[in-house]
C-alpha cells in the first residue's frame, strides 16, 4: 500500500527544529532522538500547530512517563530524549505559544520526568519489551546491528540455548538493573508489554491516517485506491508500519525478525 496516499507515518520537522536550534545557539541534540520524540508526540495524540506537536503537562507525562520506555533503547545518552523535548519547548516559547508561567512549568516537568525516564524507567527489567531486551543483548555481544544477517545469525545461536540459559542471559544483560525476576511469569509480562506497545502504535497510526484522509473527503476528493477494497488490507499496512517503527527505535529489522522468524525467543501469546 502507498503510504503517500494513506498518510500513516508522521513527516516530522526534526531537521527544521534542529536548524532553528543551531541558529539560536542552543545545545545540539541527536536528530534520531528529536525525530522519535516528535513522532511519538504526534502519534500519542498531541495537537499539531505549524507542523509541530503542542506541549502540555498531560502530553509531556504521556511521552516521558508512559511511552518512551516502551519503544526506545538508546545507543548513546538517553538524556537526548528529554533534551529534544526541551528544544520543542524553546521553539514554542520563541513562537509565542507559551506564557511565562506555562514555560517554566513545562521546563520543570521535563527536567524531573526526564530524570525518572533516564534514571529509573529505562533501567527496570520489568518494563522491558522484547525488541529493547534483544537490542541490549546484541550490543553486549558486539554484533554489528546494521547487518541484519549477522543479527539473524546471533538469534539462531541464541535459539539453540535452553530456556533456563536464556533466562540467565536476560538477568545478566547490561544496561538494566538485575532483579532476579526472570522466569516464565516475567517472560509473559514482557510479551504482553511488547504486544500492547505495538498495538498502541497501530492505533496512533490509524488515527493519523483517518485525520489526513478526512481532509480529502472535506475537499470532495476520492479516497485512495487502497481503501476501495477490503479493510483488512489497510489494517495490515498499519500493522507493518508499527513493526517498522519498533525496529527503527531499537535495531532496524529486529522487531520483524522476532515476530516472523524467531517467535519462540519473543513469545507474546502463551
Amino acid at each position: 500500500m502507498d503510504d503517500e496516499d494513506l498518510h500513516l507515518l508522521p513527516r516530522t520537522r526534526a531537521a527544521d527544529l534542529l536548524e532553528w536550534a543551531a541558529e539560536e545557539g542552543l545545545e545540539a541534540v541527536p536528530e534520531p532522538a528529536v525525530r522519535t520524540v516528535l513522532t511519538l508526540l504526534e502519534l500519542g495524540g498531541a495537537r499539531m500547530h505549524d507542523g509541530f506537536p503542542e506541549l502540555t503537562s498531560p502530553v509531556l507525562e504521556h511521552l516521558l512517563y508512559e511511552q518512551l520506555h516502551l519503544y526506545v533503547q538508546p545507543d548513546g545518552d538517553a538524556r537526548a530524549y528529554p533534551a529534544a523535548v526541551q528544544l520543542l519547548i524553546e521553539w514554542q516559547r520563541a513562537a509565542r505559544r507559551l506564557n511565562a508561567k506555562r514555560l517554566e512549568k513545562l521546563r520543570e516537568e521535563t527536567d524531573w520526568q526526564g530524570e525518572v525516564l533516564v534514571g529509573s524507567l529505562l533501567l527496570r527489567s520489568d518494563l522491558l519489551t522484547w525488541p529493547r531486551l534483544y537490542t541490549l543483548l546484541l550490543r553486549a555481544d558486539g554484533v554489528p546491528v546494521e547487518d541484519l544477517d549477522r543479527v539473524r545469525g546471533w538469534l539462531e545461536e541464541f535459539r539453540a540455548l535452553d530456556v533456563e540459559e536464556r533466562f540467565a542471559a536476560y538477568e545478566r544483560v547490561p544496561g538494566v538493573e538485575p532483579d532476579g525476576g526472570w522466569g516464565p511469569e516475567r517472560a509473559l509480562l514482557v510479551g504482553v508489554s511488547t504486544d500492547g506497545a505495538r498495538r498502541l502504535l497501530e492505533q496512533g497510526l490509524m488515527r493519523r491516517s483517518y485525520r489526513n484522509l478526512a481532509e480529502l473527503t472535506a475537499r470532495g476528493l476520492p479516497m485512495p485506491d487502497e481503501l476501495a477494497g477490503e479493510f483488512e488490507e489497510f489494517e495490515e499496512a498499519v500493522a507493518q508500519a508499527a513493526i517498522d517503527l519498533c525496529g527503527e527505535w531499537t535495531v532496524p529489522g529486529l522487531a520483524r525478525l522476532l515476530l516472523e522468524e524467531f517467535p519462540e525467543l519473543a513469545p507474546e501469546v502463551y
Side-chain angles (χ1 to χ4, degrees), residues 60 64 82 85-86 89 106-114:
L60 271 182
L64 294 171
V85 176
Q86 292 287 9
I89 292 172
L106 290 177
R107 283 172 172 169
E108 291 177 354
E109 288 173 341
T110 301
D111 281 343
W112 74 261
Q113 290 187 34

Side-chain angles (χ1 to χ4, degrees), residues 1-260:
M1 302 186 82
D2 186 355
D3 183 55
E4 290 299 318
D5 286 341
L6 297 178
H7 300 285
L8 287 175
L9 297 175
R11 277 72 160 177
T12 71
R13 293 184 58 191
D16 293 340
L17 182 59
L18 288 170
E19 181 180 355
W20 171 84
E23 292 171 353
E24 294 293 309
L26 299 176
E27 187 173 347
V29 178
E31 184 170 352
V34 176
R35 192 167 56 246
T36 298
V37 162
L38 294 177
T39 298
L40 282 172
L41 284 169
E42 182 172 350
L43 295 182
R47 294 180 62 182
M48 303 296 291
H49 178 78
D50 196 24
F52 289 107
E54 290 277 283
L55 291 174
T56 63
S57 294
V59 164
L60 271 182
E61 182 176 3
H62 185 52
L63 173 72
L64 294 171
Y65 194 73
E66 298 174 13
Q67 283 186 297
L68 276 165
H69 72 267
L70 292 174
Y71 301 109
V72 304
Q73 191 53 59
D75 186 13
D77 192 347
R79 289 176 177 80
Y81 298 100
V85 176
Q86 292 287 9
L87 283 189
L88 187 55
I89 292 172
E90 295 308 313
W91 183 88
Q92 289 188 190
R93 172 196 58 77
R96 301 183 184 276
R97 303 289 298 175
L98 299 171
N99 60 34
K101 184 176 180 180
R102 286 185 61 213
L103 172 64
E104 190 58 30
K105 184 178 182 184
L106 290 177
R107 283 172 172 169
E108 291 177 354
E109 288 173 341
T110 301
D111 281 343
W112 74 261
Q113 290 187 34
E115 284 302 314
V116 172
L117 171 71
V118 173
S120 176
L121 301 180
L122 288 174
L123 302 179
R124 285 175 51 178
S125 299
D126 61 321
L127 295 181
L128 286 168
T129 58
W130 290 123
R132 286 189 58 213
L133 175 58
Y134 280 101
T135 295
L136 288 168
L137 289 167
L138 287 160
R139 290 176 183 164
D141 276 4
V143 179
V145 294
E146 68 280 357
D147 186 337
L148 201 58
D149 288 336
R150 296 285 293 275
V151 171
R152 182 183 285 107
W154 184 93
L155 290 170
E156 289 172 348
E157 293 179 5
F158 196 75
R159 181 164 54 186
L161 302 177
D162 62 40
V163 173
E164 293 306 318
E165 288 176 312
R166 293 180 206 160
F167 287 153
Y170 300 155
E171 184 67 32
R172 296 192 304 268
V173 65
V176 293
E177 297 169 348
D179 61 5
W182 277 103
E185 291 183 356
R186 171 64 59 76
L188 175 61
L189 175 64
V190 174
V192 169
S193 296
T194 302
D195 178 73
R198 194 171 60 252
R199 291 185 186 279
L200 286 173
L201 270 186
E202 291 175 9
Q203 292 170 14
L205 289 164
M206 195 168 288
R207 284 195 303 267
R208 184 181 190 279
S209 185
Y210 286 158
R211 285 195 301 269
N212 284 281
L213 293 173
E215 295 179 10
L216 297 181
T217 301
R219 303 203 315 263
L221 299 175
M223 287 291 100
D225 292 340
E226 292 89 344
L227 295 181
E230 297 294 329
F231 185 71
E232 288 78 5
E233 190 177 352
F234 175 53
E235 289 182 317
E236 180 61 19
V238 171
Q240 295 305 314
I243 294 169
D244 289 338
L245 279 176
C246 289
E248 179 181 329
W249 297 329
T250 51
V251 169
L254 175 61
R256 186 173 300 282
L257 281 177
L258 292 174
L259 273 169
E260 297 176 355

